[in-house]
Amino acid sequence: SHIDTYLIGEAEIKFYQRSTSLNISKRGFCRVVREISQDGLGMMDIRWKAEALGALQHSAEWFLTDLFSMAQAAAIHAH
């Protein structure tokens, strides 16, 4: 039923909120960041420190998890 689907989704979101490990591979995330900074922002010669990429990835994953949580709440509310 729809309620079971929502509960499963909510459980997954809570799991990722409690998780301390990264959900996106570091290599893939770094590639996307470099691609965006070079092609999207025109920063051809920029170098990223590992700590900066790690902080950016951590923040991006937290943001996405929070966004999914809000989307889940809106979907539950809509039904």
Side-chain angles (χ1 to χ4, degrees):
S1 76
H2 291 297
I3 294 173
D4 292 336
T5 303
Y6 295 131
L7 292 176
I8 291 170
E10 191 172 334
E12 285 184 54
I13 290 168
K14 288 182 190 240
F15 170 78
Y16 288 117
Q17 285 174 330
R18 288 190 303 267
S19 172
T20 57
S21 63
L22 296 173
N23 301 310
I24 303 170
S25 73
K26 286 184 180 182
R27 190 173 183 180
F29 185 82
C30 290
R31 182 178 42 81
V32 170
V33 168
R34 286 192 176 98
E35 182 179 312
I36 290 171
S37 65
Q38 289 175 358
D39 298 341
L41 302 175
M43 301 175 171
M44 297 304 288
D45 295 329
I46 194 165
R47 291 184 178 210
W48 290 90
K49 288 191 173 190
E51 295 85 12
L53 286 170
L56 183 61
Q57 183 172 2
H58 180 76
S59 296
E61 289 195 15
W62 179 85
F63 174 80
L64 288 172
T65 303
D66 193 47
L67 180 68
F68 292 146
S69 178
M70 289 187 291
Q72 180 72 12
I76 290 170
H77 181 71
H79 286 93

